[in-house]
C-alpha cells in the first residue's frame, strides 16, 4: 500500500520515543545515569539526515520518556569519525583526567581514522573525558589507547568488574567481520591487556557489532548471578536485516563461557529460530544498556531502524528514532534462562489524550470489527486473548477500516505476527513491506500482549515480555482506528485496556 507523502515534518515524529530535531541518528552510545540524569549519546550526522560525518549526539532525560537535545558532544574532525562506544564514571579517578574530589566521566569510543590520519584505514579505541557531568568533552591527547591494526575493531563497552579475580575495568568490543567479541582489562582506562575472545557462535549471518556484558540475578535470586553477553549483527536477523542476540553464562573476570550456545562457529541457517534474540522485529538494533542505572536496574535502549532501508524511511527533516527504554531481567523459561523485557519510564506522568477504553469477556466473531471509541495514534494497549476456532486472531492498529498494522496470534503455529504490508507508506524500499513472526506459546490457555503504538512505530511485548517485536510504520495521520479480528473462526477477548497519550 502507498500512502500520501507526509505533509508536515512532524507527521511521524514520535511522542513516546526520542528522535533528533532535524538530523540523522543511529546507534545509542555512552548510556549512563549520572547525578539524577539519564544521558543518551548516539551516532549522529550533525550536518544531514542520512548516515555520515559520524559524531556523538546527546540528549538527557529524568524520566526516560521526555528528552532534551543538547549540542553535539564529541564531533568528527578531519582525522576521525567518532563511532560507537560507552561512558563510565571514573569515581576513583583511575584515569587521572579529573581529581579525587572531582572525578571525570570517561568516554571510550571507536576512532574510525580517515585518509588524512597517520592511522588511516584503521579502527581503534580512544578516550574523551568530561569534567562537567557530560555536557562538554575533551579528547585524550594520546589517542588511540588500543589498536589491533584492524579495520573492523570497534564498539567498546566498558564496565567495572569487582570479583574474585580483582577489581579493574573490562572492555568488550568486536572484530566485526570475524564474528568475535574481544575482551580486555585495564586499571587506568589508558593501558589495556588482552584477556580472551568469544565467538563465532549462533547467528553469524552479518557482521557483529555493539556488544554488552552484564550480570543479572536468575529468577531474582542475588545468590545465583548469571552473566549476559549481547551482540548485535547486520544482516542476519530472524526476520532478515539487523537484529541483536544474547548469550547467558558465566564470567570469571577473564573469560565469558556461554551455557546457551546452540551452534559453535558459523551458524546453521536452519537453526536461526533457536537462537536467543533481544527482539524478533525488524527495527531493534545496536541495543546497549545504561551504566549506573539506579537500584541496580538493567535498562536498555536500541536504535529503531534497520540497515536494509535506514536511509530511506520517509521522515523529514529528522531520520530514525530510538526505542523505548526497557528494563530487562533474567528468568527460567521452559528450563532455560531467558531475558524478560518490559518498557519503562514515567508513563503515569504523561498527559492522556482521551477517554480510556476497556472491554472484558467479549467474543470476536470471524471478520474484522472496529472498536468505536478506541481510536488513537499514541496508545498503550493491554489485551488478553483466548483462542477459539480461529486460525489467527488479534488487533489492527493505526487503521482506517480497511488497512493498518496487523498484530496477530497463530496458535497452531505458536507464533506472534506483525504484518505491515498495508501499514501506510511502504514503497520507499522493497524490503519494508513484511510479515514478521516470533515464537510464542499460550500461558494457561491465553495470550497476553502489551502494545505501545506511536506515530511511526509499534513495540509489542508478548507473554509478560518473553518475546518482543519492534516495527516501524508510516501510516496516514487519519489512520487511527483500532480493530479486532479473527480469521477462520472465533476467539475471545478476556480483557482489553487502552490508554491514550497526548
Amino acid at each position: 500500500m502507498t500512502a500520501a507523502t507526509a505533509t508536515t515534518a512532524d507527521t511521524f515524529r514520535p511522542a513516546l520515543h526520542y528522535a533528533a530535531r532535524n538530523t540523522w541518528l543511529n546507534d545509542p552510545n555512552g548510556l549512563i545515569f549520572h547525578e539524577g540524569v539519564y544521558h543518551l549519546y548516539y551516532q549522529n550526522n550533525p550536518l544531514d539526515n542520512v548516515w555520515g560525518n559520524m559524531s556523538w549526539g546527546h540528549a538527557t532525560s529524568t524520566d526516560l520518556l521526555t528528552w532534551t537535545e543538547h549540542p553535539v558532544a564529541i564531533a568528527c574532525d578531519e582525522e576521525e569519525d567518532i563511532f560507537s562506544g560507552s561512558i563510565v564514571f571514573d569515581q576513583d579517578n583511575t584515569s587521572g583526567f579529573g581529581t579525587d574530589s572531582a572525578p571525570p566521566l570517561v568516554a571510550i569510543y571507536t576512532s574510525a581514522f580517515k585518509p588524512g590520519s597517520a592511522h588511516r584505514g584503521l579502527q581503534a579505541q580512544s578516550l574523551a573525558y568530561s569534567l562537567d557531568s557530560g555536557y562538554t568533552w575533551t579528547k585524550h591527547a594520546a589517542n588511540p589507547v588500543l589498536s589491533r591494526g584492524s579495520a573492523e575493531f570497534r564498539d567498546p563497552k566498558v564496565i567495572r568488574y569487582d570479583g574474585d579475580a580483582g577489581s579493574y575495568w573490562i572492555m568488550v568490543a568486536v572484530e566485526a567481520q570475524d564474528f568475535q567479541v574481544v575482551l580486555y582489562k585495564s586499571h587506568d582506562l589508558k593501558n589495556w591487556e588482552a584477556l580472551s575472545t568469544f565467538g563465532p557462535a549462533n547467528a553469524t549471518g552479518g557482521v557483529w557489532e555493539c556488544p554488552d556484558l552484564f550480570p543479572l540475578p536468575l529468577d531474582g535470586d542475588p545468590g545465583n548471578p548469571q552473566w549476559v553477553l549481547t551482540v548485535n549483527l547486520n544482516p542476519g536477523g530472524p526476520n532478515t536485516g539487523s537484529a541483536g542476540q544474547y548469550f547467558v553464562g558465566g564470567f570469571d573476570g577473564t573469560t565469558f563461557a556461554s551455557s546457551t550456545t546452540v551452534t559453535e562457529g558459523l551458524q546453521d541457517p536452519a537453526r536461526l529460530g533457536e537462537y536467543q534474540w533481544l527482539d524478533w522485529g525488524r527495527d531493534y538494533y545496536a541495543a546497549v544498556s545504561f551504566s549506573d542505572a539506579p537500584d541496580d536496574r538493567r535498562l536498555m535502549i536500541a536504535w529503531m531502524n534497520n540497515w536494509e532501508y535506514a536511509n530511506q524511511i520517509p521522515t523529514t527533516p529528522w531520520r530514525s528514532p530510538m526505542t523505548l527504554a526497557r528494563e530487562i531481567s533474567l528468568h527460567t523459561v521452559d528450563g532455560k534462562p531467558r531475558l524478560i523485557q518490559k518498557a519503562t519510564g514515567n508513563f503515569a506522568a504523561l498527559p492522556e489524550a482521551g477517554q480510556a477504553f476497556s472491554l472484558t469477556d467479549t467474543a470476536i466473531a470471524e471478520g474484522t470489527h472496529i472498536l468505536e471509541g478506541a481510536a488513537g495514534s499514541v496508545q498503550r494497549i493491554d489485551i488478553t486473548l483466548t483462542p477459539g476456532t480461529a486460525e489467527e486472531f488479534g488487533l489492527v492498529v493505526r487503521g482506517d477500516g480497511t488497512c493498518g498494522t496487523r498484530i496477530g496470534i497463530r496458535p497452531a503455529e505458536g507464533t506472534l505476527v506483525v504484518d505491515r504490508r498495508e501499514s501506510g507508506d511502504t514503497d520507499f524500499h522493497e524490503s519494508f513491506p513484511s510479515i514478521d513472526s516470533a515464537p510464542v506459546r499460550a500461558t494457561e490457555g491465553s495470550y497476553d500482549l502489551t502494545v505501545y503504538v506511536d506515530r511511526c512505530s509499534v513495540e509489542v511485548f508478548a507473554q509478560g515480555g518473553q518475546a518482543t517485536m519492534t516495527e516501524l510504520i508510516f501510516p496516514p495521520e487519519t489512520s487511527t482506528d483500532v480493530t479486532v479480528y479473527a480469521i477462520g473462526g472465533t476467539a475471545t477477548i478476556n480483557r482489553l485496556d487502552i490508554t491514550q497519550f497526548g
Side-chain angles (χ1 to χ4, degrees):
M1 174 186 177
T2 302
T5 302
T7 56
T8 70
D10 287 341
T11 296
F12 301 127
R13 178 173 290 279
L16 304 178
H17 301 75
Y18 177 72
R21 183 177 66 257
N22 58 4
T23 57
W24 162 275
L25 64 75
N26 57 289
D27 307 359
N29 299 153
L31 304 185
I32 191 168
F33 180 79
H34 186 66
E35 297 180 344
V37 176
Y38 294 96
H39 291 262
L40 165 64
Y41 301 85
Y42 51 89
Q43 292 286 275
N44 177 232
N45 182 350
L47 305 179
D48 205 344
N49 68 350
V50 293
W51 188 92
N53 307 302
M54 282 294 98
S55 304
W56 276 24
H58 183 205
T60 56
S61 177
T62 57
D63 63 4
L64 293 171
L65 288 172
T66 305
W67 295 92
T68 299
E69 184 172 348
H70 300 283
V72 170
I74 308 176
C76 65
D77 58 28
E78 66 279 1
E79 292 200 350
E80 65 175 358
D81 280 321
I82 312 299
F83 277 15
S84 291
S86 53
I87 290 173
V88 296
F89 176 42
D90 187 11
Q91 186 169 5
D92 296 324
N93 193 34
T94 64
S95 64
F97 289 138
T99 64
D100 291 344
S101 60
L105 292 176
V106 180
I108 307 92
Y109 66 89
T110 296
S111 293
F113 289 108
K114 296 178 179 178
S117 166
H119 307 284
R120 60 187 177 276
L122 298 182
Q123 293 181 359
Q125 311 324 314
S126 294
L127 304 178
Y129 60 92
S130 174
L131 303 177
D132 64 356
S133 300
Y135 294 94
T136 61
W137 294 84
T138 301
K139 292 179 181 179
H140 178 39
N143 283 336
V145 296
L146 178 59
S147 178
R148 292 165 57 96
S150 168
E152 300 286 343
F153 171 43
R154 58 179 176 266
D155 306 343
K157 178 64 184 285
V158 172
I159 65 172
R160 188 70 184 177
Y161 174 80
D162 290 291
D164 293 340
S167 179
Y168 41 83
W169 300 106
I170 292 286
M171 178 195 295
V172 289
V174 294
E175 280 288 356
Q177 292 190 341
D178 295 337
F179 317 111
Q180 195 168 74
V181 175
V182 293
L183 290 85
Y184 288 80
K185 82 172 188 179
S186 175
H187 293 285
D188 61 4
L189 296 169
K190 298 174 180 176
N191 298 284
W192 293 91
E193 173 188 342
L195 292 176
S196 61
T197 63
F198 174 83
N202 286 8
T204 54
V207 296
W208 279 18
E209 295 186 313
C210 302
D212 202 348
L213 179 68
F214 48 83
L216 285 175
L218 182 62
D219 298 321
D221 180 3
N224 188 14
Q226 302 286 301
W227 284 80
V228 179
L229 174 66
T230 68
V231 63
N232 294 264
L233 77 158
N234 174 61
N239 285 292
T240 77
S242 313
Q245 63 180 325
Y246 68 93
F247 304 84
V248 181
F251 179 62
D252 62 3
T254 299
T255 302
F256 173 78
S258 170
S259 63
T260 61
T261 298
V262 177
T263 54
E264 298 279 0
L266 301 184
Q267 75 181 38
D268 178 353
R271 307 191 73 178
L272 196 66
E274 298 178 48
Y275 304 148
Q276 293 176 308
W277 298 99
L278 292 170
D279 192 282
W280 292 79
R282 297 285 298 281
D283 298 304
Y284 191 89
Y285 191 62
V288 288
S289 66
F290 279 88
S291 298
D292 303 334
D295 303 319
D296 292 324
R297 301 167 73 201
R298 186 58 53 179
L299 306 177
M300 183 170 279
I301 288 179
W303 177 47
M304 197 190 302
N305 211 332
N306 191 308
W307 281 117
E308 287 187 332
Y309 43 74
N311 285 284
Q312 287 81 40
I313 64 171
T315 61
T316 183
W318 59 279
R319 188 171 275 125
S320 294
M322 294 295 182
T323 66
L324 293 172
R326 299 180 181 184
E327 182 168 4
I328 61 176
S329 55
L330 191 65
H331 295 268
T332 303
V333 179
D334 297 330
K336 299 178 181 179
R338 296 295 172 95
L339 291 183
I340 304 298
Q341 304 182 64
K342 295 184 179 181
T344 190
N346 190 12
F347 290 94
L350 293 176
E352 295 191 7
Q355 185 72 29
F357 181 91
S358 297
L359 280 179
T360 57
D361 299 326
T362 302
I364 308 175
E366 185 169 2
T368 60
H369 316 278
I370 295 175
L371 300 177
E372 299 295 337
S377 58
V378 185
Q379 305 175 307
R380 170 178 165 153
I381 302 174
D382 293 283
I383 188 169
T384 301
L385 296 151
T386 299
T389 58
E391 299 169 3
E392 179 181 324
F393 53 89
L395 297 161
V396 178
V397 299
R398 296 303 310 270
D400 64 2
T402 302
C403 300
T405 299
R406 183 164 57 95
I407 303 166
I409 300 292
R410 295 175 178 172
E413 295 180 4
T415 57
L416 166 71
V417 296
V418 176
D419 182 349
R420 61 181 183 185
R421 292 174 300 172
E422 297 185 336
S423 58
D425 189 346
T426 64
D427 66 352
F428 56 86
H429 193 278
E430 62 183 6
S431 71
F432 186 82
S434 62
I435 305 178
D436 303 316
S437 64
V440 66
R441 296 195 305 175
T443 301
E444 297 181 351
S446 63
Y447 298 87
D448 289 296
L449 302 178
T450 296
V451 182
Y452 292 89
V453 181
D454 208 342
R455 295 181 184 129
C456 68
S457 65
V458 292
E459 289 185 73
V460 184
F461 297 78
Q463 303 302 65
Q466 291 184 27
T468 64
M469 295 187 73
T470 301
E471 305 268 351
L472 288 171
I473 56 172
F474 301 101
E477 282 187 283
T478 54
S479 292
T480 59
D481 287 339
V482 179
T483 300
V484 294
Y485 73 94
I487 299 172
T490 63
T492 299
I493 300 172
N494 301 86
R495 67 173 183 94
L496 170 63
D497 296 297
I498 300 178
T499 303
Q500 310 281 3
F501 297 115

